[in-house]
Amino acid sequence: MSTGRGGWPLYEVFVRGKRGLNHVHVGSLHAADDVMALHNARDVYTRRNEGASIWVVRSDLITASSPDEKESFFDPAADKVYRYPTFYSIPPEVPHL
Amino acid sequence: MSVTEQSQAWELAADFERTIAADQRIEPRDWMPAAYRATLIRQIAQHAHSEIIGMQPEGNWLLRAPSLRRKTILLAKVQDEAGHGLYLYAAAETLGIDRTELTERLITGRQKYSSIFNYPALSYADIGVIGWLVDGAAICNQVPLCRCSYGPYARAMVRICKEESFHQRQGFELLLTMANGTDEQRAMLQESVDRWWWPSLMMFGPPDVDSPNTRQSMAWGIKRHTNDELRQRFVDMTVPQAAALGVTLPDPALRWNEERQAHDFGEPDWREFAAVISGAGPCNAQRLAHRRRAHENGAWVREAATAYAAKQRARLAGQG
């Protein structure tokens, strides 16, 4: 776990730009606890109304895929071309398909 | 290293080279050459330190800004500089260096910051000139960094560039107000431009012939243009702005070159640059001492917040 500043953990910050959009990762910060992380995130990442909602989560609680296993992890999707609409040929005169 | 390990290492290096060649971004958990990581840590940290130290010359004028409007603008700008420092520290940390370590390296003088912040802000016109010339030069440097090959750095730069444009415009507007004011105000404006012009040109770093790291940084996609290219771009952008303000840029060699379609200009005093970089600028000692004092004076706040967080956690555990 990364604990800078005398043991303050690292938090990842996610901001929803406006209603209807997903929360998007914007960066990270250190804080003593969750509430402080939320306040710091507001001050650092939303000084110009960039956010309608903020999530903070401790970095060490995130489970992530490993770039070393990228191929074995993602390749199974690569040979399934039948999952795409362009796989199917339809006569051009048939409407609305 | 066994044969298998050796071939895995080659594969990782080839992967990295392919990503760079395809102009794709390197992300924190990707394999990267040790020198690429070290270069980025040094550059991003130096950049973050510059934002943090950069609060000082302007912060010095917060209580003396001439109106509430100017005070609120300046306060917002200084807060932005703090924010920019934090975006950049966060980007540096993705490379595996700790924030505490970065702060330590700054206040012990082991890592540098931009030479420009070792010059004093002597008059209120300096606040405008810092926004116009210093932030203008910073923008020239920073816009290409939005396409830097290291993802977290590039993304931090996108946020920073958006905000810098406010910094430059507020500076120019302040100067325009002075330019339309009294003779005394115009003289103050010119005097400030005379002091800041050459240090602003030095912000792009040494001339290309004396910049040994540039070639490698460009090959890695960290840098997109050489120091001299960016300096030229800055001069060409600034000349018409100076004309709009009615100020003279203090360089007798400055003139339009029809053949090159660019301005010719004089050489900054590189001995002064070297002296300021190595600690002999007018404010080096003051800037570092102030940063160190602020860090030490803030220790009790950090300790109190840590103790409060521990108490809250203990209470929650007790309730469970």
Side-chain angles (χ1 to χ4, degrees):
Chain A
M1 187 177 86
S2 175
T3 54
R5 283 211 226 160
W8 288 7
L10 189 67
Y11 284 80
E12 300 300 324
V13 181
F14 301 79
V15 171
R16 184 202 295 288
K18 57 181 180 186
R19 287 177 177 281
L21 298 180
N22 288 316
H23 284 79
V24 173
H25 183 245
V26 292
S28 60
L29 49 77
H30 289 280
D33 58 33
D34 299 355
V35 176
M36 185 197 252
L38 207 51
H39 286 155
N40 287 357
R42 177 200 58 192
D43 294 344
V44 177
Y45 291 102
T46 63
R47 284 193 304 287
R48 288 179 176 77
N49 291 319
E50 293 97 333
S53 160
I54 300 176
W55 290 346
V56 290
V57 61
R58 274 175 60 155
S59 309
D60 59 325
L61 296 178
I62 292 178
T63 307
S65 65
S66 158
D68 306 340
E69 299 161 7
K70 197 172 73 196
E71 282 165 23
S72 56
F73 199 74
F74 292 107
D75 276 0
D79 58 356
K80 298 181 177 58
V81 284
Y82 47 84
R83 286 181 171 164
Y84 298 93
T86 46
F87 179 73
Y88 304 93
S89 45
I90 305 284
E93 60 274 17
V94 182
H96 308 305
L97 259 176
Chain B
M1 198 184 274
S2 74
V3 176
T4 337
E5 281 169 341
Q6 181 63 62
S7 80
Q8 275 171 347
W10 280 333
E11 209 174 296
L12 287 171
D15 240 9
F16 173 83
E17 294 299 338
R18 260 196 304 276
T19 308
I20 296 285
D23 204 16
Q24 299 257 311
R25 300 292 174 259
I26 303 294
E27 294 296 341
R29 297 178 71 212
D30 292 337
W31 183 90
M32 60 188 92
Y36 177 85
R37 186 184 298 275
T39 299
L40 276 168
I41 289 178
R42 183 175 45 82
Q43 183 174 334
I44 301 174
Q46 192 168 315
H47 195 161
H49 298 330
S50 302
E51 301 282 357
I52 298 298
I53 296 287
M55 291 194 281
Q56 292 185 36
E58 296 183 304
N60 188 28
W61 283 90
L62 280 173
L63 297 178
R64 291 179 286 165
S67 66
L68 183 58
R69 177 172 182 271
R70 297 289 173 193
K71 250 190 244 294
T72 49
I73 292 171
L74 188 55
L75 192 59
K77 181 172 189 296
V78 174
Q79 283 177 325
D80 273 353
E81 308 298 1
H84 296 177
L86 294 174
Y87 304 156
L88 288 164
Y89 281 132
E93 282 188 289
T94 63
L95 291 157
I97 182 132
D98 194 89
R99 172 79 61 82
T100 324
E101 174 64 23
L102 291 171
T103 307
E104 203 57 35
R105 286 186 190 180
L106 170 63
I107 60 182
T108 54
R110 275 180 296 154
Q111 273 179 338
K112 298 193 188 309
Y113 52 88
S114 175
S115 58
I116 194 79
F117 301 115
N118 290 316
Y119 292 88
L122 299 177
S123 79
Y124 183 65
D126 288 11
I127 296 306
V129 170
I130 288 172
W132 173 42
L133 293 182
V134 175
D135 291 325
I139 291 171
C140 266
N141 264 330
Q142 290 171 353
V143 166
L145 287 173
C146 297
R147 292 184 296 120
C148 168
S149 63
Y150 188 59
Y153 191 26
R155 292 192 286 274
M157 291 319 304
V158 170
R159 298 183 71 86
I160 290 176
C161 284
K162 274 188 201 160
E163 300 180 355
E164 286 290 348
S165 129
F166 141 65
H167 295 182
Q168 199 190 13
R169 287 174 67 107
Q170 67 80 33
F172 194 84
E173 187 241 34
L174 191 164
L175 298 180
L176 207 54
T177 310
M178 289 186 105
N180 292 324
T182 63
D183 285 345
E184 211 181 349
Q185 284 175 309
R186 275 186 290 274
M188 191 192 268
L189 162 56
Q190 182 63 56
E191 188 274 335
S192 174
V193 170
D194 290 346
R195 274 184 294 112
W196 288 95
W197 174 248
W198 293 108
S200 300
L201 289 191
M202 293 177 197
M203 286 175 69
F204 297 94
D208 293 349
V209 286
D210 299 325
S211 179
N213 301 327
T214 293
R215 219 169 58 88
Q216 180 62 78
S217 281
M218 287 180 76
W220 276 332
I222 296 175
K223 257 177 114 152
R224 299 285 178 173
H225 307 282
T226 71
N227 297 350
D228 287 335
E229 284 167 10
L230 292 167
R231 195 167 6 249
Q232 178 74 57
R233 186 179 295 180
F234 174 68
V235 171
D236 291 336
M237 277 171 40
T238 307
V239 167
Q241 297 168 349
L245 288 174
V247 294
T248 310
L249 298 172
D251 179 358
L254 181 67
R255 64 178 61 85
W256 176 250
N257 183 328
E258 187 60 36
E259 204 175 307
R260 286 202 308 125
Q261 289 293 301
H263 291 86
D264 292 336
F265 55 97
E267 200 66 22
D269 180 353
W270 294 116
R271 271 172 318 181
E272 176 182 320
F273 177 71
V276 176
I277 283 281
S278 56
C283 298
N284 295 56
Q286 182 192 335
R287 298 290 186 241
L288 265 193
H290 185 86
R291 182 68 195 87
R292 200 175 303 125
R293 204 164 50 240
H295 185 68
E296 284 160 8
N297 289 346
W300 72 269
V301 180
R302 294 190 293 276
E303 282 159 22
T306 307
Y308 178 77
K311 189 178 80 179
Q312 293 300 314
R313 262 195 304 277
R315 275 201 188 151
L316 270 175
Q319 283 169 2

